[in-house]
Amino acid sequence: MELIDTHCHLGFEQLANDVEAIVERSIEAGVTGWITVGTDIQQNKKAIELADKFENMYAAVGIHPHDAKDVNSKTLTNLRELAQSRKVVAIGETGLDFHYNFSEQSVQRRVFAAQLKIATELNLPVIIHSREAFDDTIDILERHGGGVKKVVFHCFGGSASQAKLILDKGFYVSFTGVVTFKNAQTARQAAEIVPLDKLMLETDCPYMSPEPMRKQKINEPALMIHTARYLADLKKMDFAHFCRNINLTSKTFFSLPEK
């Protein structure tokens, strides 16, 4: 059995000083590949450094909507340059966050659209962060993302109807350990309708450890095994079959080499 954590933040301070041990525990658990994701220029560089250090680790680079307020033309030029690094496999995470609004919504929209342009130019898939901004996210994707190779809505917690719209557009959906939480019935209903060829798993660590490890304050890739087992049971599927298929989906989305 092999799984890929398609969205982790191994450069974040809660994890950065222990990555070698984290990777060892992950491999022992059966999570043998990782996409470590940047959120600003500093974290993008860390993601690339880590990807270059570890086999089967790759990087995504992007500007999180929280940090859109700090973006200028130089930032976008830097992002475009970083995105051409050897082991960068996606632009992201990028998108809209209208829950916190740490950056003005108009600025978030502009920076999101600019990153979709970079993804189109470089023929890279895009990892989407969308919180309380679903309709606006879809609108910008329709207006500015027509040339984007592939799109995944990461850490999906929306409704089944929203998931259906995402699928109808040919996009992918990725679930975190949140789907195991007692109060996450909406996310579970969405997960039930997402086919394996459009479904990926992630930790979004260091956040949101899945049940039964929720009391563990810091999440890490090894714990994704619990989310995988939960979703296989939810879909009434053989666990090995479930893992093989979502592993293939993840490799296809990020154009990862076959081992």
Side-chain angles (χ1 to χ4, degrees):
M1 183 206 69
E2 294 181 347
L3 288 169
I4 298 170
D5 184 348
T6 63
H7 193 114
C8 51
H9 298 288
L10 299 179
F12 281 18
E13 63 179 350
Q14 299 96 319
L15 301 170
N17 293 327
D18 198 30
V19 176
E20 290 191 5
I22 288 168
V23 165
E24 288 179 7
R25 290 193 293 269
S26 183
I27 293 171
E28 288 174 3
V31 181
T32 59
W34 314 268
I35 312 295
T36 187
V37 179
T39 53
D40 57 27
I41 294 301
Q42 181 182 12
Q43 282 297 324
N44 291 334
K45 290 178 180 178
K46 287 184 179 180
I48 292 169
E49 289 172 2
L50 286 169
D52 285 339
K53 183 176 180 180
F54 293 96
E55 186 180 6
N56 296 334
M57 186 178 293
Y58 299 86
V61 294
I63 306 297
H64 194 285
H66 289 346
D67 299 297
K69 61 185 179 298
D70 301 319
V71 170
N72 54 36
S73 60
K74 183 179 179 181
T75 312
L76 294 172
T77 298
N78 191 321
L79 178 63
R80 185 181 288 103
E81 292 171 351
L82 291 173
Q84 296 174 69
S85 299
R86 180 177 64 93
K87 293 187 77 176
V88 169
V89 294
I91 296 294
E93 62 188 282
T94 180
L96 304 173
D97 193 308
F98 292 173
H99 177 77
Y100 287 108
N101 286 312
F102 289 157
S103 297
E104 291 184 9
Q105 293 184 6
S106 61
V107 175
Q108 292 186 46
R109 293 187 182 96
R110 174 176 57 80
V111 173
F112 181 21
Q115 291 179 83
L116 293 176
K117 181 180 179 181
I118 293 172
T120 299
E121 291 173 357
L122 299 180
N123 196 31
L124 288 171
V126 176
I127 299 169
I128 300 293
H129 173 108
S130 181
R131 188 168 186 187
E132 296 180 21
F134 183 78
D135 291 343
D136 290 80
T137 302
I138 293 294
D139 177 63
I140 291 176
L141 283 167
E142 289 178 341
R143 290 193 290 117
H144 300 280
V148 172
K149 183 179 181 181
K150 301 185 192 83
V151 170
V152 61
F153 278 68
H154 108 91
C155 192
F156 189 75
S159 66
S161 61
Q162 289 175 332
K164 184 178 185 304
L165 178 60
I166 290 170
L167 296 170
D168 287 346
K169 293 184 178 297
F171 301 156
Y172 293 64
V173 186
S174 182
F175 294 93
T176 65
V178 168
V179 76
T180 71
F181 295 178
K182 290 180 180 178
N183 64 350
Q185 185 60 28
T186 299
R188 284 190 284 275
Q189 290 170 347
E192 287 183 298
I193 72 163
V194 179
L196 298 190
D197 64 349
K198 292 293 181 181
L199 186 151
M200 293 189 284
L201 294 185
E202 60 175 282
T203 55
D204 202 15
C205 64
Y207 311 115
M208 298 176 295
S209 296
E211 295 289 1
M213 309 300 291
R214 194 173 178 185
K215 291 182 180 179
Q216 183 166 322
K217 295 296 185 182
I218 298 178
N219 195 8
E220 61 178 77
L223 303 187
M224 198 181 79
I225 195 73
H226 299 287
T227 308
R229 290 190 183 280
Y230 187 94
L231 280 180
D233 289 344
L234 181 72
K235 287 178 167 290
K236 298 179 173 60
M237 291 181 179
D238 173 75
F239 182 60
H241 171 78
F242 176 81
C243 290
R244 280 195 303 271
N245 279 271
I246 63 170
N247 188 54
L248 177 60
T249 299
S250 302
K251 287 185 174 181
T252 299
F253 182 87
F254 291 107
S255 299
L256 303 182
E258 290 293 333
K259 298 293 184 181

